[in-house]
Every structure is written in structure tokens, then in C-alpha cells.
Amino acid sequence: QVQLVESGGGLVQPGGSLTLACAASGSTFSGYGCMGWFRQPPGKEREAVAYFVLRTGMLVYADSVKGRFTISHDNARKTLILDMNDLKPEDTAMYYCALDPDDRFCNLQASSYEYWGQGTQVTVST
């Protein structure tokens, strides 16, 4: 099994920044795969934010966050990081970390990811 635990959410004013972290652990976690961030705004569908391919370092962003969010991975801590800058009210959502252990077809489709964290709330408001 694989466990994913997110942290770092909170309340921030528009234009502010937050950093989210997702720690991966578990007896079956190989250290490979695609790790992604997704979010679900209130009353809306879950949407992709970005993903990171652990083996190659390749990363892909959804258009809505390009230029503002940065995804990275700390190999030593087995932790996926999401640096969020210039936050907007429309970034308000529950943010989830996810893992697809098979990195042959990494993508931004939530259905491709097998393991999910419990989520961390990000609220952007004055």
C-alpha cells in the first residue's frame, strides 16, 4: 500500500503565496511513477493542476496555473512540492496529491491515478 499525506494549506490573501507538500510512504511505494496535484473547488468537479514524473523529472501544468505554480520533488524526503504564487480567489479549493505507479502514460486525467491523499484546503480571500 501507498500512503500520501498533504500539508501546507491555509488561508491567504489574493496575490499571496503558499507551499503545499505531499509525503509518500508505504511498503509498495517504489519511488517511481507519476505524482500529481489536483484540486476541487467548492461545488465543482475535480481538476488537474500539474504532474511530475519521478523517473525523468518531466513536469506538466494545467493552463490555469502556468507561470504561477511550480511543482517539484524532493527525492530524499519522498515529498512532492507545489509552490503557489500570485494566488487568486478562483484557486480556492481542496488540493489533493495523487500517485500513478505506472509512469508509462503520465497525464492530467484523475482517473489514471491509483492512490490519493486526504486533501488540504486552500482558501484565497480578503
Side-chain angles (χ1 to χ4, degrees), residues 10 15 18 20 24 32 38 46-47 56 66 80 82 87 89 102 110 115 120:
L18 275 177
L20 305 183
Y32 295 106
F38 293 80
R46 189 171 297 190
E47 61 186 36
T56 64
K66 280 181 182 176
L80 186 71
L82 185 69
L87 284 160
D102 185 350
Y115 299 100
T120 185

Side-chain angles (χ1 to χ4, degrees), residues 75-124:
N75 289 330
R77 296 192 298 145
K78 296 182 181 179
T79 299
L80 186 71
I81 308 293
L82 185 69
D83 289 306
M84 305 185 293
N85 297 304
D86 189 23
L87 284 160
K88 306 176 187 298
E90 51 265 41
D91 295 317
T92 294
M94 184 70 79
Y95 282 71
Y96 297 92
C97 172
L99 170 70
D100 175 4
D102 185 350
D103 64 5
R104 292 177 296 168
F105 309 108
C106 293
N107 58 64
L108 289 171
Q109 300 298 316
S111 58
S112 298
Y113 290 78
E114 182 175 350
Y115 299 100
W116 290 83
Q118 293 300 305
T120 185
Q121 178 67 39
V122 172
T123 302
V124 185

Side-chain angles (χ1 to χ4, degrees), residues 23-82:
S25 63
S27 58
T28 58
F29 180 52
S30 67
Y32 295 106
C34 323
M35 290 192 76
W37 286 102
F38 293 80
R39 65 187 183 185
Q40 187 163 13
K44 296 185 178 181
E45 299 282 321
R46 189 171 297 190
E47 61 186 36
V49 174
Y51 74 77
F52 187 98
V53 183
L54 298 179
R55 189 191 305 268
T56 64
M58 188 179 98
L59 40 85
V60 173
Y61 296 95
D63 289 343
S64 58
V65 304
K66 280 181 182 176
R68 300 189 299 122
F69 290 12
T70 302
I71 190 172
S72 60
H73 186 259
D74 184 329
N75 289 330
R77 296 192 298 145
K78 296 182 181 179
T79 299
L80 186 71
I81 308 293
L82 185 69

